[in-house]
Amino acid sequence: MESMKTIEVDGNDLGSSVDPLPFARRYQIEALEKAIKENTIVYLETGSGKTLIAIMLLRYYAHLLRKPSPFIAVFLVPQVVLVTQQAKALKTHTDLKVGMYWGDMGVDFWDAATWRNEQVKNEVFVMTPAILLNGLRHSFFKLNRIKVLVFDECHHASGKHPYACIMKEFYHGQSRSNKSNLPRIFGMTASPIKTKGLNELMHSSCCFPVYIMLNGLRYWTFYQLLSRNLGTTLTHTCGKNLTELENLMNSKIYTSVSEDVLAEYVPFSTPKLTYYKDMDIPSTLFQSLSEKLVILKNKYECSLERLDIMDSTKESAKKKISKLFSAFLFCLNDLGIWLALQAAEFSVCDDMDICCWGRLDLSSEEIIKNFNKDASKLISTYMSSVQEHLVGDNLEADAESGFITTKVICLIRSLLEYRHLKDLRCIVFVERVITAIVLQKLLSKLLPKLSGWEAGYIAGNASQLQSQSRRVQNALVDEFRNGTVNVIVSTSILEEGLDVQSCNLVIRFDPAATVCSFIQSRGRARMQNSDFLLMVRSGDDKTLSRLRTYLDSGKVMREESLRNASLPCAPLKSSLDEEEFYWVESTGAIVTLSSSIGLLYFYCSRLPSDGYFKPAPRCCIDQLMETCTIYLPKSCPIQTVSVQGNTKTLKQLACLETCKQLHKSGALTDNLVPQIVEEEAVVAEDENMPYDDEHATYYPPELVKPSLEHSDQKYHCYLIKLDQKYEYEVPPEDIVLAVRSELEYDVGNINFDLQVDRGTMTVSMSYIGVIHLNVKMVLWCRKFQATLLRVLIDRTIDKVKEAFDKCEGNNQMLDYLMLPTTKSREIPPTIDWKCLGSVFFSHENASNHMDCFLPRMHTKSGYVCACTLENSIVYTPHNSHLYCITGILGELNGNSFLSLDNGGLVTYKEYYRLRHGIELKFDQEKLLKGKRIFVVQNYLQRCRQQKEKESSNSTVELPPELCVIFMSPISISIIYTFSFIPSIMHRIESLLLAANLKKMHLDHCKLNDIPTSKVLEAITTKHCQEDFHLESLETLGDSFLKYATSQQLFKTFQNHHEGLLSIKKDRIISNAALSKLGCDRKLPGFIRDGSFDPKKWIIAGDQSRSHAFDEEYLSNTRKIYISERRKMKSKRIADVVEALIGAFLSTGGERAAFTFMKWLGINVDFVKIPYERDFPVILKRHVNVSYLESLLNYSFRDPSLLVEALTHGSYMLPEIPRCYQRLEFLGDAVLDYLVTIHLYHKYPGMSPGLLTDLRSASVNNDCYARSAVKAKLHQHILHSSQQLYKHIVDTVDSFDKLHLETTFGWESESTFPKVLGDVMESLAGAILVDSDYNKEVVFRSMRPLLEPLITPETMKLHPARELTELCQKKHYTIKRDIKSQNGKASVTIEVEANGVKYKHTSTSDKRTAKRMASNEVLKSLKESNCPDR
């Protein structure tokens, strides 16, 4: 083959020569060359490799598509199942970036930005055509940015199919405008004509069949013979259809000269015809059974009529019964009694769930299922169980009895004629899904024992008669390929879609509906010497004629395609020339008459809805006046649109005009999508923004100095007093904290409690002045605190020497001193330098001690005075323990007796010899009274579990000769006091961090000061396990932020519906948004999110452990230090942001909170914007204003707000232009805030978390709904929903059973209609707007309705939470099982407590079922009086 030269496309040299794949066939290369030169439709048989030609074309264009090129290629497929199949082929044979798109991905809700991101990322888009059509209409895609546009199965391009609309609306319009850079069109089809068998020819055709005998079965084949007139007509019709397709696609058809060209590569199946007798089941049998089925159907339809359900639900259920009835009758007549019985039994089967075409009322579902069961029982009475079991053993007898029809017998016999095939792969094509299901059941019963074959079925997953997933279908096809399954009964899904290459027999059980279906099903037989078997009823000349026409049409289409190959495509008018449209100039988005209805319904579908009302436009046409009025839901900014025009297109004209006005009002964006779509896309993008969960942990700069200076150092001193609230033999001593910088007043003068095992110790701190220390004194102090604290924390001396030595380094970072004081009562106190010198103890100094009258003793440190030992820390090498020596035991020496645990007595000398192998040399010397070194713990932890009381052997008797003096002199009180230093300093460090955060804010907002302790509370999470944490402030801040944001949005966007307002609110207050703002302000570094661990605490002066501090600038002038890095969830940051808002709100008021929010970047305020209302309504027609004002104790200045607050979306009277949704949005926020702030101020001493519980129990739909029913507000709601009316009646009927002393709704066994709670919120919103946003007026008015308000004493936890907490506390095992079906949930909760199981199942909506099941299990646990409780 000659090499190809570079070919110019559209006048531009692509600079790329044809690069066919090495295994490409000759005709594929020819088709590729043609496709490069001009738009082309490749018409070749199934299995001839059309996709490979498209791939080679894309490889040719690849250099124009590679990113960062703005161009893309689009590969369109008619079925979702083909998306992954074709994308896989593209990824296999190209290196292009391939994206896959189908409806279930939610692409209908993508905005322009989302599609732009996809076009930046991917080079080839494989998608279903409706996605591209919508994308072009909304201007998400530009045709001039698409270099190659592939249409798979392009014969679908006709009428209103998306293929045709893409070409008519966009391609031809731009082509006629002489716009360049139109995409290269490439179509693929196995049959370019998709008409129902060229119906006009069927009646005039004549058949010339002959038959052959094969193993006793008669098969028919055809002479390829046409009458001259018939051939001319067929040729003319085919030519016309082909020309129409070519003109529409602006492409020329490429095909092979004959089948012989392809035969070398593509096996062709042999078409054969087999007749079956025209023999139905016995007429008396059919008439009897069908009449009884009719009676059964009527019986259950009457049962539906008696149900108290909505008319629409009733009609839907009737349709389902009718469909089932029709399916049973069809199977009975066409397939036989046995298969009709299988259809009925299949419909009863729960796992297939034939009845679930949509959500129904539970009672109507039960009726449908009972109809299925009774139908199954009825049909089974016409067959005994023995007959049912023996079906298929005697086919003639089965036919005579009506169990199986002759058509089914023909299929079985036809299959068995191929028993000689070693490896059968057969597809049986049927028309109906139910046929596929029941035939597979019969074949699965018969074939394994007759031939060893296995059968399966595949039916389109859009069917309402089965629930087969694509995953199941793909698995079955894989089994078919590998031979596990031999026969597949399939609907048309396998004609066009799933690739099954190993098939060697195709049987058409039902005739093909179109020539395209015929050709494609024939093409499924891919193997060499395969057969294409066509079943026809004897005497059915019409079907026989149609099949002959199908066979001839393939040859005629090929000949006509070749004959017209040289003729150019005729220009085609754009559909936009023939119909009105609306075009957005800024984007190019367009809506036409034909697409306007769909766009309007799509817009309405994105409006707020509930379970009682689905918003949709209502169309009223006046034929006489030739006018059409569109009534829109009340949440639209436009209520009515009227147009006048031709009655044929009147509705489309009205919808087009409505879309135009919605765009001009801003409800539709410039891309002609609902505004909420773009808002949701932005929210999704924000939530999917990459989040780096690694953050710095800050350390306060007040405690850090870069290095030790050589001159005298100035220190600010703070006296720390410890007040022991319990009795203990060792009293604490006052100590002095010396720091280089003077601390903030509310840091340097603090009081807090430590939780000690024995009780509470109060720490108080106060400023006492300045002290100057030289370098030697500073080093002395550092060595003391580093050594003592290292000993206390590690409880060993292994690393003490290293800590001691490294204090002299000049790279010191932490610079503060903890100094012991003398016991004198001087003010200011005197530093105990003698104690500080204990760290420098040496034997030489102790030996020079001559003035003491106490005896000397032998130690491992030498011969020393007893007073040196009395206040010291000693180390005993034989057991590596540290002890505080508190005295000399004058009455005990080494020969004294020691009482053992077993009651025996032994001398100390013997004990040490037997236990430790030590011989005491100085057994006459007095023993020392020692106490184990104190344990350093986290004394800030709340509710610390009490440890065991100090045991009797907490003091020990030590022979002096076994002791090494480590520090002396140092009193036990100082040692005891220093065991609290890590916890004390951790609290001071935390306060300093809070102070730095506050100062960082004050740098920008100088007057917005609040107590540092509040800031500390706001940055402390409950994981710290301290006496306080942020939860109460977070709850307060969350409610205020929600209220302030909701009020501003309500005022600013007065035409936005509740859904849009909620989306905008979420963008401001979502965790993702708040977390980002917090990170931008470097808040994560300040957050305290873990329990204090003394072992990880950094000791000032100790450099034995490497710990580097990095600097970070909070602003140009403010610096802080980073001590470490840690991971933190974004929600934690968002919680702290809300808590900080709560901190400023609780101490500085709303203005302080707004100032802080502005500093964060939340630009929300109580803006003054007039609320414009156009609400002309005659109030007395709709509501009793005077009664409601009396009930609310409020007189409305604008009573129309009262009407709006009580109007549900289903109330479609045009004189009321709005429903309550916007007011509900505002009222929800204000009630939440009012109740929260009320609880916060009423119970100021509540524990952290209690406010959250009180708020959750007070602010929920059940509470509001109960309040609404108590006040009889349900009688005043304006709605037109039968379902809502029924639900309210049921709620009111069961209301008296509930306890009225609380506003809880948790005792109810059914859920409250959300509308009842909504109305309470909308009334609060109405009062807020009418009172000029005076929230105190709202609380005064609404509080009586909400009474009695929940208090800490009356509060009940939600049963689900109470049960969970109980199980966690008592270590019970809890299991939950939730099964959902048709909007209902069955929740089973099982708890195992002390070996006993408590279990309950509730069925309702998921929320109510979970609550009731939890409540019942809780009751059982309480009644059982479990010993653990």
Side-chain angles (χ1 to χ4, degrees):
M1 186 180 70
E2 294 181 2
S3 61
M4 293 290 298
K5 296 179 179 179
T6 299
I7 298 175
E8 291 189 2
V9 180
D10 298 333
N12 296 316
D13 187 351
L14 292 179
S16 175
S17 59
V18 176
D19 179 25
L21 293 166
F23 48 83
R25 302 161 184 169
R26 177 165 50 85
Y27 64 86
Q28 290 173 325
I29 302 298
E30 291 176 359
L32 173 62
E33 292 171 357
K34 184 175 176 62
I36 290 172
K37 294 178 182 178
E38 63 180 359
N39 292 347
T40 301
I41 296 172
V42 171
Y43 161 36
L44 294 171
E45 297 291 330
T46 300
S48 58
K50 297 183 289 294
T51 298
L52 194 64
I53 303 170
I55 288 171
M56 291 190 292
L57 182 64
L58 290 170
R59 285 166 59 95
Y60 179 81
Y61 277 86
H63 69 286
L64 294 179
L65 305 175
R66 298 191 201 284
K67 299 307 170 190
S69 166
F71 299 111
I72 61 171
V74 178
F75 197 122
L76 299 177
V77 294
Q79 296 181 30
V80 172
V81 71
L82 285 171
V83 173
T84 52
Q85 182 174 301
Q86 299 293 42
K88 182 179 178 181
L90 285 165
K91 291 176 181 178
T92 301
H93 297 295
T94 74
D95 62 350
L96 295 169
K97 297 173 183 174
V98 181
M100 298 181 288
Y101 309 91
W102 59 88
D104 288 347
M105 294 172 62
V107 294
D108 291 341
F109 310 125
W110 287 7
D111 68 338
T114 306
W115 280 116
R116 276 196 300 272
N117 291 337
E118 293 298 312
Q119 291 172 55
V120 168
K121 182 170 58 176
N122 291 317
E123 295 157 346
V124 182
F125 287 59
V126 185
M127 58 174 61
T128 49
I131 297 173
L132 178 62
L133 178 59
N134 287 333
L136 290 168
R137 284 173 173 169
H138 295 303
S139 200
F140 299 150
F141 291 96
K142 304 288 187 182
L143 209 58
N144 59 10
R145 292 295 179 92
I146 301 175
K147 279 296 176 185
V148 183
L149 184 52
V150 180
F151 292 82
D152 193 8
E153 311 291 2
C154 67
H155 50 264
H156 290 292
S158 62
K160 295 296 183 182
H161 191 277
Y163 278 177
C165 292
I166 289 168
M167 296 303 295
K168 288 178 183 178
E169 290 184 26
F170 297 96
Y171 186 92
H172 287 290
Q174 295 187 27
S175 177
R176 290 176 66 245
S177 302
N178 294 319
K179 290 189 176 179
S180 59
N181 297 323
L182 288 174
R184 167 67 71 233
I185 303 297
F186 183 78
M188 301 185 291
T189 182
S191 170
I193 296 177
K194 188 189 178 184
T195 60
K196 288 203 172 181
L198 305 171
N199 290 331
E200 66 273 20
L201 302 177
M202 289 183 184
H203 299 293
S204 59
S205 63
C206 49
C207 305
F208 300 90
V210 296
Y211 68 87
I212 59 174
M213 296 298 295
L214 180 61
N215 296 326
L217 192 66
R218 186 169 63 170
Y219 286 96
W220 294 82
T221 186
F222 293 103
Y223 282 123
Q224 297 297 316
L225 182 63
L226 285 170
S227 68
R228 181 174 299 174
N229 291 337
L230 177 60
T232 302
T233 306
L234 181 61
T235 300
H236 173 74
T237 304
C238 283
K240 179 184 176 185
N241 289 334
L242 292 172
T243 301
E244 288 176 354
L245 179 64
E246 286 184 328
N247 290 340
L248 175 61
M249 299 296 294
N250 194 36
S251 306
K252 296 303 294 180
I253 294 176
Y254 167 84
T255 189
S256 58
V257 176
S258 69
E259 287 187 354
D260 296 338
V261 175
L262 299 178
E264 180 183 349
Y265 307 100
V266 184
F268 284 88
S269 61
T270 303
K272 296 180 179 179
L273 186 71
T274 180
Y275 282 109
Y276 57 90
K277 293 180 182 179
D278 185 7
M279 179 179 171
D280 295 328
I281 70 170
S283 59
T284 54
L285 187 66
F286 177 79
Q287 185 174 353
S288 170
L289 186 49
S290 60
E291 286 177 352
K292 289 180 180 179
L293 281 171
V294 169
I295 293 171
L296 190 66
K297 171 176 172 284
N298 292 337
K299 170 189 170 183
Y300 279 97
E301 286 180 344
C302 290
S303 298
L304 283 170
E305 285 295 338
R306 290 192 291 271
L307 287 181
D308 184 17
I309 57 176
M310 293 176 61
D311 291 340
S312 58
T313 305
K314 201 176 293 182
E315 286 303 312
S316 179
K318 284 184 180 179
K319 287 180 182 178
K320 294 175 190 353
I321 289 179
S322 294
K323 286 183 179 180
L324 289 169
F325 170 77
S326 298
F328 300 156
L329 275 188
F330 165 79
C331 291
L332 183 65
N333 185 55
D334 207 54
L335 306 175
I337 294 175
W338 191 88
L339 289 137
L341 178 60
Q342 302 309 306
E345 289 179 348
F346 172 84
S347 69
V348 175
C349 182
D350 286 334
D351 57 346
M352 299 307 291
D353 207 1
I354 196 172
C355 339
C356 294
W357 283 296
R359 288 190 176 184
L360 287 175
D361 183 90
L362 284 176
S363 54
S364 61
E365 277 187 13
E366 193 64 29
I367 285 178
I368 293 171
K369 288 184 177 179
N370 288 336
F371 170 74
N372 288 331
K373 292 176 183 177
D374 286 354
S376 177
K377 291 177 184 176
L378 173 62
I379 298 171
S380 67
T381 61
Y382 286 77
M383 291 183 75
S384 68
S385 58
V386 175
Q387 289 172 322
E388 184 180 346
H389 179 71
L390 295 177
V391 160
D393 290 354
N394 187 333
L395 296 177
E396 285 76 11
D398 290 339
E400 290 176 2
S401 302
F403 298 158
I404 300 177
T405 62
T406 52
K407 182 178 182 181
V408 176
I409 292 173
C410 179
L411 172 65
I412 296 169
R413 287 178 171 168
S414 298
L415 280 167
L416 294 179
E417 288 301 323
Y418 289 86
R419 277 182 293 188
H420 64 282
L421 288 181
K422 183 179 179 181
D423 196 13
L424 178 74
R425 301 286 195 284
C426 173
I427 301 176
V428 179
F429 281 108
V430 298
E431 185 177 359
R432 298 191 180 205
V433 172
I434 194 66
T435 306
I437 293 169
V438 298
L439 276 182
Q440 181 265 338
K441 286 183 174 290
L442 178 63
L443 295 179
S444 293
K445 179 180 187 302
L446 300 181
L447 291 182
K449 61 184 179 183
L450 295 177
S451 59
W453 295 332
E454 294 293 334
Y457 84 91
I458 287 180
N461 66 344
S463 169
Q464 295 175 332
L465 279 170
Q466 56 91 45
S467 58
Q468 196 178 48
S469 68
R470 292 192 179 93
R471 182 181 57 81
V472 171
Q473 293 172 358
N474 291 334
L476 185 61
V477 170
D478 288 340
E479 291 175 350
F480 186 72
R481 289 191 181 111
N482 62 36
T484 308
V485 171
N486 307 92
V487 179
I488 291 180
V489 187
S490 173
T491 57
S492 60
I493 187 173
L494 283 187
E495 293 175 3
E496 173 183 284
L498 295 174
D499 187 20
V500 185
Q501 297 184 354
S502 51
C503 181
N504 52 15
L505 175 63
V506 171
I507 300 177
R508 290 251 28 149
F509 184 78
D510 294 317
T514 67
V515 63
C516 183
S517 174
F518 179 87
I519 290 172
Q520 289 184 319
S521 57
R522 178 187 177 186
R524 290 296 124 189
R526 303 280 190 89
M527 299 293 286
Q528 200 72 37
N529 302 318
S530 57
D531 287 343
F532 180 42
L533 199 60
L534 305 164
M535 291 175 52
V536 181
R537 183 193 290 263
S538 294
D540 189 355
D541 293 338
K542 183 177 179 181
T543 299
L544 192 64
S545 172
R546 193 199 319 170
L547 295 177
R548 180 173 177 273
T549 306
Y550 286 165
L551 284 167
D552 289 335
S553 61
K555 178 182 177 183
V556 174
M557 285 189 292
R558 184 176 294 104
E559 291 173 349
E560 282 301 298
S561 298
L562 294 169
R563 183 178 296 114
N564 296 334
S566 60
L567 300 177
C569 294
L572 190 70
K573 281 188 175 182
S574 168
S575 61
L576 301 181
D577 296 334
E578 301 171 357
E579 62 177 350
E580 292 187 35
F581 63 90
Y582 176 65
W583 181 64
V584 181
E585 185 176 1
S586 61
T587 61
I590 193 168
V591 55
T592 64
L593 274 181
S594 56
S595 65
S596 61
I597 296 177
L599 177 57
L600 183 56
Y601 273 86
F602 176 56
Y603 166 76
C604 289
S605 73
R606 302 313 318 279
L607 295 172
S609 63
D610 57 28
Y612 313 103
F613 168 66
K614 302 300 178 189
R618 188 162 55 92
C619 177
C620 295
I621 296 178
D622 188 330
Q623 297 283 357
L624 184 62
M625 302 299 295
E626 294 186 335
T627 60
C628 177
T629 302
I630 300 288
Y631 294 95
L632 293 165
K634 297 190 181 302
S635 47
C636 292
I638 301 165
Q639 290 299 293
T640 59
V641 176
S642 296
V643 298
Q644 191 170 20
N646 189 322
T647 54
K648 291 182 179 180
T649 59
L650 199 50
K651 182 177 179 180
Q652 291 177 319
L653 282 169
C655 289
L656 181 62
E657 179 61 27
T658 304
C659 292
K660 179 180 177 181
Q661 291 192 27
L662 286 171
H663 172 249
K664 290 183 176 178
S665 71
L668 290 175
T669 69
D670 286 346
N671 287 104
L672 294 179
V673 295
Q675 190 175 359
I676 196 170
V677 170
E678 289 195 356
E679 294 286 348
E680 286 174 339
V682 173
V683 170
E685 186 177 355
D686 290 344
E687 290 176 349
N688 294 326
M689 285 286 287
Y691 167 71
D692 184 1
D693 63 354
E694 187 172 285
H695 297 281
T697 300
Y698 291 153
Y699 194 87
E702 291 86 351
L703 303 180
V704 178
K705 286 294 178 182
S707 63
L708 183 63
E709 300 173 11
H710 295 288
S711 58
D712 288 355
Q713 307 296 309
K714 175 183 176 182
Y715 284 89
H716 295 269
C717 294
Y718 294 85
L719 179 64
I720 297 176
K721 298 181 73 68
L722 304 181
D723 184 7
Q724 201 165 262
K725 305 293 186 182
Y726 52 87
E727 292 186 2
Y728 185 51
E729 62 187 21
V730 181
E733 297 285 349
D734 297 344
I735 54 175
V736 170
L737 168 64
V739 294
R740 298 291 295 277
S741 305
E742 187 174 357
L743 306 181
E744 296 281 325
Y745 180 82
D746 55 357
V747 176
N749 295 270
I750 56 169
N751 294 278
F752 59 92
D753 289 337
L754 299 179
Q755 305 299 324
V756 185
D757 294 339
R758 304 165 190 84
T760 301
M761 179 178 289
T762 299
V763 179
S764 58
M765 183 170 161
S766 58
Y767 185 67
I768 56 173
V770 173
I771 188 173
H772 292 270
L773 302 175
N774 60 34
V775 173
K776 183 177 180 180
M777 297 167 78
V778 170
L779 284 175
W780 199 346
C781 297
R782 285 180 180 172
K783 289 190 175 187
F784 171 81
Q785 69 183 21
T787 302
L788 179 55
L789 289 169
R790 186 85 278 149
V791 165
L792 286 167
I793 291 172
D794 293 344
R795 298 174 65 78
T796 178
I797 63 169
D798 292 346
K799 293 187 178 181
V800 171
K801 187 176 186 305
E802 185 182 359
F804 183 88
D805 294 339
K806 288 192 175 182
C807 285
E808 297 185 15
N810 200 32
N811 58 345
Q812 182 67 33
M813 292 298 292
L814 298 191
D815 189 9
Y816 64 85
L817 306 174
M818 302 299 298
L819 307 175
T821 62
T822 62
K823 293 185 178 180
S824 65
R825 301 197 174 188
E826 298 177 9
I827 301 295
T830 303
I831 305 299
D832 190 347
W833 289 101
K834 188 175 181 182
C835 178
L836 286 167
S838 64
V839 74
F840 298 102
F841 171 81
S842 68
H843 172 256
E844 291 77 11
N845 293 336
S847 299
N848 294 331
H849 182 62
M850 304 299 294
D851 299 332
C852 186
F853 59 88
L854 292 177
R856 290 178 174 268
M857 294 183 169
H858 291 87
T859 69
K860 285 189 175 293
S861 300
Y863 193 52
V864 299
C865 179
C867 69
T868 304
L869 281 164
E870 272 198 68
N871 287 289
S872 66
I873 297 175
V874 301
Y875 171 68
T876 52
H878 68 275
N879 59 6
S880 301
H881 287 171
L882 286 161
Y883 297 94
C884 311
I885 304 301
T886 59
I888 310 297
L889 298 170
E891 69 281 4
L892 296 179
N893 60 29
N895 296 311
S896 301
F897 283 99
L898 170 67
S899 297
L900 301 178
D901 291 339
N902 61 9
L905 292 174
V906 64
T907 65
Y908 285 95
K909 185 174 182 178
E910 290 173 341
Y911 170 80
Y912 280 101
R913 180 173 56 82
L914 295 173
R915 179 70 181 269
H916 298 288
I918 298 173
E919 290 288 347
L920 295 181
K921 297 177 181 178
F922 306 101
D923 54 359
Q924 296 300 320
E925 286 191 352
K926 304 300 182 185
L927 300 183
L928 305 176
K929 182 181 180 181
K931 184 178 180 64
R932 286 291 304 271
I933 203 79
F934 295 99
V935 178
V936 175
Q937 301 180 52
N938 174 11
Y939 295 110
L940 297 167
Q941 187 174 349
R942 71 175 184 279
C943 304
R944 280 195 327 117
Q945 292 184 352
Q946 298 292 317
K947 294 195 172 183
E948 293 182 7
K949 291 184 178 180
E950 227 171 16
S951 60
S952 58
N953 64 350
S954 61
T955 60
V956 296
E957 299 82 36
L958 294 172
E961 63 187 277
L962 300 183
C963 300
V964 177
I965 301 175
F966 181 69
M967 293 180 69
S968 178
I970 181 169
S971 69
I972 190 171
S973 291
I974 290 296
I975 301 169
Y976 179 54
T977 301
F978 265 72
S979 67
F980 299 110
I981 291 300
S983 296
I984 294 170
M985 283 308 301
H986 180 70
R987 173 58 56 83
I988 294 170
E989 290 165 7
S990 301
L991 278 164
L992 287 170
L993 274 181
N996 276 274
L997 172 55
K998 185 177 71 169
K999 286 187 281 188
M1000 181 173 68
H1001 170 62
L1002 288 172
D1003 288 343
H1004 297 81
C1005 317
K1006 298 191 181 303
L1007 300 178
N1008 207 33
D1009 194 7
I1010 65 171
T1012 303
S1013 58
K1014 273 296 175 189
V1015 179
L1016 177 61
E1017 182 181 343
I1019 62 174
T1020 302
T1021 72
K1022 61 183 177 182
H1023 295 104
C1024 294
Q1025 300 181 325
E1026 297 185 12
D1027 286 337
F1028 56 88
H1029 58 74
L1030 57 76
E1031 193 166 338
S1032 292
L1033 291 176
E1034 177 202 344
T1035 301
L1036 185 62
D1038 170 66
S1039 65
F1040 177 72
L1041 178 60
K1042 175 182 172 184
Y1043 167 60
T1045 304
S1046 297
Q1047 186 184 135
Q1048 175 167 301
L1049 292 172
F1050 182 87
K1051 294 175 181 176
T1052 305
F1053 301 101
Q1054 297 187 16
N1055 281 330
H1056 282 16
H1057 57 73
E1058 179 268 336
L1060 263 175
L1061 294 176
S1062 295
I1063 289 288
K1064 286 183 176 292
K1065 178 189 71 178
D1066 290 343
R1067 284 185 60 188
I1068 296 172
I1069 71 172
S1070 69
N1071 285 335
L1074 297 180
S1075 173
K1076 184 179 184 306
L1077 292 172
C1079 291
D1080 291 344
R1081 285 298 183 184
K1082 302 185 178 182
L1083 296 186
F1086 294 98
I1087 297 173
R1088 305 171 64 237
D1089 191 35
S1091 181
F1092 172 56
D1093 183 358
K1095 292 188 178 299
K1096 296 180 181 178
W1097 180 63
I1098 305 170
I1099 301 173
D1102 177 14
Q1103 297 187 71
S1104 61
R1105 298 183 180 183
S1106 58
H1107 198 100
F1109 287 86
D1110 297 322
E1111 292 184 357
E1112 181 169 313
Y1113 280 88
L1114 300 174
S1115 63
N1116 292 335
T1117 58
R1118 191 167 296 282
K1119 182 171 66 175
I1120 204 162
Y1121 290 92
I1122 299 173
S1123 62
E1124 61 179 354
R1125 302 197 75 84
R1126 59 182 169 173
K1127 292 188 180 297
M1128 186 179 296
K1129 293 181 179 179
S1130 60
K1131 185 182 183 304
R1132 192 84 67 241
I1133 304 169
D1135 292 345
V1136 169
V1137 169
E1138 291 174 335
L1140 284 167
I1141 294 171
F1144 280 90
L1145 177 69
S1146 63
T1147 53
E1150 292 179 351
R1151 185 46 50 197
F1154 278 130
T1155 303
F1156 177 74
M1157 287 159 57
K1158 186 175 181 180
W1159 173 74
L1160 277 175
I1162 304 174
N1163 294 311
V1164 170
D1165 205 339
F1166 292 149
V1167 292
K1168 294 285 185 180
I1169 300 176
Y1171 188 52
E1172 299 176 2
R1173 291 178 55 77
D1174 183 16
F1175 210 100
V1177 60
I1178 302 174
L1179 301 175
K1180 292 181 181 179
R1181 290 184 182 177
H1182 305 287
V1183 297
N1184 188 336
V1185 176
S1186 58
Y1187 171 80
L1188 290 167
E1189 288 184 336
S1190 173
L1191 177 68
L1192 296 169
N1193 193 27
Y1194 179 78
S1195 297
F1196 280 87
R1197 292 179 290 182
D1198 180 3
S1200 68
L1201 282 163
L1202 194 53
V1203 178
E1204 182 178 341
L1206 292 168
T1207 303
H1208 184 252
S1210 63
Y1211 197 67
M1212 290 294 287
L1213 288 183
E1215 59 262 32
I1216 301 179
R1218 273 183 173 168
C1219 62
Y1220 66 57
Q1221 290 169 344
R1222 277 178 51 86
L1223 290 175
E1224 175 215 341
F1225 168 81
L1226 181 62
D1228 169 45
V1230 70
L1231 275 184
D1232 185 348
Y1233 176 52
L1234 287 170
V1235 172
T1236 303
I1237 201 80
H1238 164 76
L1239 294 170
Y1240 184 84
H1241 289 307
K1242 185 169 183 180
Y1243 307 106
M1246 72 177 84
S1247 61
L1250 180 58
L1251 177 63
T1252 305
D1253 294 337
L1254 285 170
R1255 177 202 192 191
S1256 299
S1258 304
V1259 181
N1260 61 71
N1261 187 71
D1262 287 347
C1263 288
Y1264 291 164
R1266 289 201 63 184
S1267 297
V1269 174
K1270 281 198 296 183
K1272 301 190 183 304
L1273 284 173
H1274 58 279
Q1275 299 175 354
H1276 301 272
I1277 300 174
L1278 303 175
H1279 69 90
S1280 55
S1281 168
Q1282 182 182 356
Q1283 187 179 357
L1284 175 57
Y1285 173 77
K1286 182 178 180 298
H1287 200 172
I1288 289 176
V1289 169
D1290 292 342
T1291 300
V1292 174
D1293 287 345
S1294 63
F1295 182 73
D1296 294 336
K1297 302 175 185 177
L1298 303 178
H1299 302 294
L1300 298 181
E1301 63 269 15
T1302 73
T1303 55
F1304 288 96
W1306 294 339
E1307 301 87 349
S1308 173
E1309 295 185 5
S1310 61
T1311 183
F1312 289 94
K1314 184 176 180 297
V1315 173
L1316 294 174
D1318 291 347
V1319 166
M1320 289 288 290
E1321 293 170 338
S1322 63
L1323 285 170
I1327 296 170
L1328 184 67
V1329 174
D1330 193 73
S1331 65
D1332 206 12
Y1333 300 92
N1334 188 330
K1335 60 182 181 296
E1336 285 74 22
V1337 171
V1338 177
F1339 196 53
R1340 269 199 314 271
S1341 177
M1342 299 300 296
R1343 179 172 179 173
L1345 301 183
L1346 298 173
E1347 293 286 4
L1349 291 176
I1350 295 167
T1351 68
E1353 294 74 31
T1354 62
M1355 187 191 73
K1356 296 179 182 178
L1357 290 177
H1358 191 285
R1361 179 178 168 188
E1362 185 180 355
L1363 180 62
T1364 300
E1365 291 185 356
L1366 174 66
C1367 292
Q1368 288 174 345
K1369 180 180 178 182
K1370 300 297 183 183
H1371 305 291
Y1372 297 161
T1373 301
I1374 183 170
K1375 296 179 182 177
R1376 296 182 179 89
D1377 182 47
I1378 301 175
K1379 295 179 180 177
S1380 298
Q1381 183 178 358
N1382 300 329
K1384 298 294 179 182
S1386 178
V1387 178
T1388 301
I1389 295 180
E1390 180 182 303
V1391 171
E1392 184 174 345
N1394 304 321
V1396 180
K1397 292 184 178 180
Y1398 303 86
K1399 183 177 179 180
H1400 188 82
T1401 300
S1402 289
T1403 301
S1404 185
D1405 63 278
K1406 184 176 178 180
R1407 187 167 61 95
T1408 304
K1410 184 177 178 182
R1411 183 186 72 217
M1412 294 308 302
S1414 300
N1415 207 28
E1416 291 303 316
V1417 173
L1418 269 173
K1419 284 181 183 177
S1420 299
L1421 284 168
K1422 292 173 181 178
E1423 290 169 1
S1424 69
N1425 293 317
C1426 291
D1428 264 346
R1429 284 186 59 77

